[in-house]
Amino acid sequence: MRFTSLDDWLGWLEQSHPKEIDLGLDRIRQVAERLDFLSPRAKVVTVAGTNGKGSCVTAIGGLLQTAHFSVGVYTSPHLLHYAERIQINGKPVADQLICAAFELIANACHSSGEGAAEISLTYFEYGTLAALAIFKQQNVDYMVLEVGLGGRLDAVNIIDADVAVITSIAIDHQAWLGDNRELIGREKAGILRAQQVFVCADENPPQTIVDLAQQLHTKAYFIGRDFAFNAQDKQWQWQGKTERGEQVSLPLMRKPHLPLPSMAAALQVVHLLNVELTPDQIEPTLLNVNLAGRFQKIFYQSRQFIVDVAHNPAATEYFAKRLRAEPVTGKTFAIVAMMSDKDTTASLAKLVHLVDEWHLLELKNNPRAASIAVLTENLLSLNAQVTHSGGINNLMNELLIKAQPQDRIVIFGSFFTVAAALAYLQADSQASRGIL
């Protein structure tokens, strides 16, 4: 084997391809063909979208598990450990399985008979093929695959899904996907196939999605038209359809913690897959579906922390809504770091009226990170002041002294931000890592 440790493999993958992002399906499809991955035995659900897709993927996986199926889930990026990306029945797979999959892929890249060209793949493409390899080896019943970037040219799109899902569409990754919702929607809709079952959880979908779904004669189910939910206080109710067009509804249930449009889409998906679950099975499943870094509450040294990977205006608006719904009697302190390719000002603006003190996290070793100077200028333009900036240890230590038990500390802005905070909190055995 080329490497025996996952860290060594990942270090090699980070520098093995000339581009970090190299959209296109030709290279990865060739390798997948060599490995016979393109027609999996398992049924496949592919989920694209700007926000809410990770929640939808996790909920679909949880519901299928409750129905006693073996389920492989592939997501990205990870927070603390690479194996978070490849899970079977809710648990990350062993490092050794990933290493063996990488070795299989590397061999396929380098040899496929006389005269075959060597193929170079990106870090993400290796990860996608590794997930497919492991799910095939472990003979899962379902694969639930999260699109990494866009849809049309994303590595996950080499697989024809049995059900395609698009969650919300918002402005993000403009350099790759376009600078408006119509262009972005068209890229996301690239996961659709002719005659395919399609579920859309965007309550105001771009016309490009609607048009392509019609052109391909998909069996489309749109939220607000074919399935819906009604929320009231701490309860919600879902209504939807089966593939035969039969109306289905569930009684009032307690509201889950993850976004309701994504939960509603997950329920629509499992009904379209003819998976039978009772309300008594569905309610606890959705209540117990947890996703690290999505309004994740952690109590540490009698202080409440809320960490969230919200990193674009639509996501921070939803984060702000959740914070307003759970006010505190004390102050709200914020730690934030964002990537420079995001709309930082608009993202911060959604939260500026909820935060009493701003603390900026410096991500020194991340070349994509927005500088402290830029974020300071953003906040000043919003009439907010920066109290302190620095590394995660300094900021956390300072706030543990300053914040009182009636206060809360929110940490958001990117996966890198949340990962830094979780690494700090989980390093101490006193941290309670439950998600409420």
Side-chain angles (χ1 to χ4, degrees), residues 196-218:
Q196 180 190 50
V197 178
F198 166 48
V199 174
C200 182
D202 192 304
E203 294 170 290
N204 182 29
Q207 191 61 38
T208 48
I209 292 178
V210 177
D211 290 346
L212 187 61
Q214 291 175 344
Q215 291 167 20
L216 293 173
H217 302 287
T218 63

Side-chain angles (χ1 to χ4, degrees), residues 41-334:
R41 183 199 69 84
K43 289 189 175 180
V44 179
V45 179
T46 297
V47 183
T50 306
N51 297 314
K53 57 184 176 178
S55 300
C56 190
V57 165
T58 304
I60 293 169
L63 290 166
L64 292 172
Q65 274 183 252
T66 298
H68 305 294
F69 291 105
S70 174
V71 186
V73 169
Y74 174 58
T75 60
S76 65
H78 62 279
L79 286 168
L80 296 178
H81 194 278
Y82 187 88
E84 296 167 23
R85 297 179 180 226
I86 306 173
Q87 301 194 21
I88 294 179
N89 297 333
K91 296 181 180 179
V93 300
D95 287 5
Q96 294 90 334
L97 284 179
I98 302 175
C99 290
F102 284 161
E103 181 75 13
L104 180 71
I105 296 158
N107 290 338
C109 285
H110 290 290
S111 63
S112 181
E114 187 175 348
E118 183 175 324
I119 299 171
S120 176
L121 298 177
T122 67
Y123 179 100
F124 182 77
E125 289 166 340
Y126 258 90
T128 302
L129 290 176
L132 298 178
I134 292 168
F135 296 157
K136 180 178 181 179
Q137 179 191 36
Q138 300 299 312
N139 201 29
V140 301
D141 300 309
Y142 283 92
M143 300 193 302
V144 188
L145 310 176
E146 179 186 0
V147 170
L149 177 61
R152 182 174 63 93
L153 298 176
D154 186 84
V156 167
N157 201 34
I158 59 171
I159 301 296
D160 295 334
D162 295 277
V163 181
V165 184
I166 296 178
T167 58
S168 68
I169 302 297
I171 306 297
D172 204 357
H173 299 295
Q174 295 97 309
W176 300 102
L177 306 179
D179 59 2
N180 61 70
R181 291 181 76 245
E182 294 297 330
L183 290 174
I184 293 170
R186 180 60 185 84
E187 288 297 315
K188 305 286 185 184
I191 66 170
L192 303 188
R193 302 291 194 272
Q195 306 293 328
Q196 180 190 50
V197 178
F198 166 48
V199 174
C200 182
D202 192 304
E203 294 170 290
N204 182 29
Q207 191 61 38
T208 48
I209 292 178
V210 177
D211 290 346
L212 187 61
Q214 291 175 344
Q215 291 167 20
L216 293 173
H217 302 287
T218 63
K219 301 171 185 177
Y221 297 81
F222 286 89
I223 195 167
R225 187 192 77 179
D226 305 293
F227 68 101
F229 67 90
N230 296 308
Q232 42 187 286
D233 297 326
K234 296 183 179 181
Q235 292 182 307
W236 77 308
Q237 189 174 34
W238 176 86
Q239 304 90 34
K241 291 180 181 178
T242 68
E243 193 172 356
R244 294 184 297 274
E246 300 165 337
Q247 297 288 334
V248 196
S249 63
L250 294 174
L252 279 174
M253 301 179 289
R254 288 170 291 170
K255 285 168 67 174
H257 309 290
L258 297 176
L260 293 183
S262 293
M263 300 301 97
L267 284 170
Q268 182 61 49
V269 168
V270 298
H271 276 82
L272 294 172
L273 291 169
N274 296 316
V275 174
E276 295 186 5
L277 290 170
T278 67
D280 288 341
Q281 291 175 302
I282 290 169
E283 183 178 30
T285 298
L286 294 185
L287 285 173
N288 291 321
V289 164
N290 297 319
L291 192 56
R294 276 71 164 187
F295 210 81
Q296 181 179 356
K297 293 182 181 177
I298 301 173
F299 290 90
Y300 178 79
Q301 294 189 10
S302 301
R303 307 295 190 273
Q304 181 188 140
F305 291 81
I306 301 176
V307 297
D308 199 291
V309 297
H311 58 267
N312 57 51
T316 55
E317 182 176 14
Y318 180 76
F319 187 37
K321 180 180 178 182
R322 291 290 307 271
L323 291 172
R324 283 194 295 269
E326 300 185 24
V328 290
T329 58
K331 290 183 175 181
T332 295
F333 299 89

Side-chain angles (χ1 to χ4, degrees), residues 365-378:
N365 297 320
N366 192 320
R368 285 183 56 212
S371 69
I372 297 297
V374 166
L375 293 179
T376 299
E377 184 178 340
N378 294 159

